[in-house]
């Protein structure tokens, strides 16, 4: 599974809180994906972050 964050991110921080193994708020105040491949044990929380993002900026596939 791969994750990505698009430019709609408003830096709300939910994804980092939900799945810190994959998402991190970077210096620019928006989320970045810190792994190439989502670890298997983080797939559920990555999906949860994608579902919970208020601006639907996260894609996981
Ligand atoms: Fe941005 Fe959505 Fe995460 S707004 S900080 S990608 S939950």
């Amino acid at each position: 599974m791969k994750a990505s964050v698009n430019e709609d991110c408003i830096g709300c921080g939910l994804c980092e809180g939900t799945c810190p193994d994959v998402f991190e708020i970077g210096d620019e105040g928006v989320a970045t994906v810190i792994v190439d491949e989502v670890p298997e044990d983080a797939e559920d929380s990555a999906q949860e972050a994608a579902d919970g993002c208020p601006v639907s900026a996260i894609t996981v596939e």
Side-chain angles (χ1 to χ4, degrees):
M1 175 188 267
K2 296 215 183 261
S4 61
V5 176
N6 71 26
E7 69 282 358
D8 291 340
C9 173
I10 54 172
C12 84
L14 178 140
C15 53
E16 187 183 52
T18 304
C19 188
D21 291 341
V22 174
F23 304 100
E24 188 174 281
I25 304 297
D27 293 341
E28 289 167 17
V30 295
T32 56
V33 174
I34 55 174
V35 291
D36 279 340
E37 189 80 23
V38 175
E40 211 165 295
D41 61 1
E43 286 186 354
D44 287 350
S45 56
Q47 183 65 58
E48 194 181 323
D51 292 342
C53 175
V55 293
S56 301
I58 300 172
T59 303
V60 287
E61 55 192 3

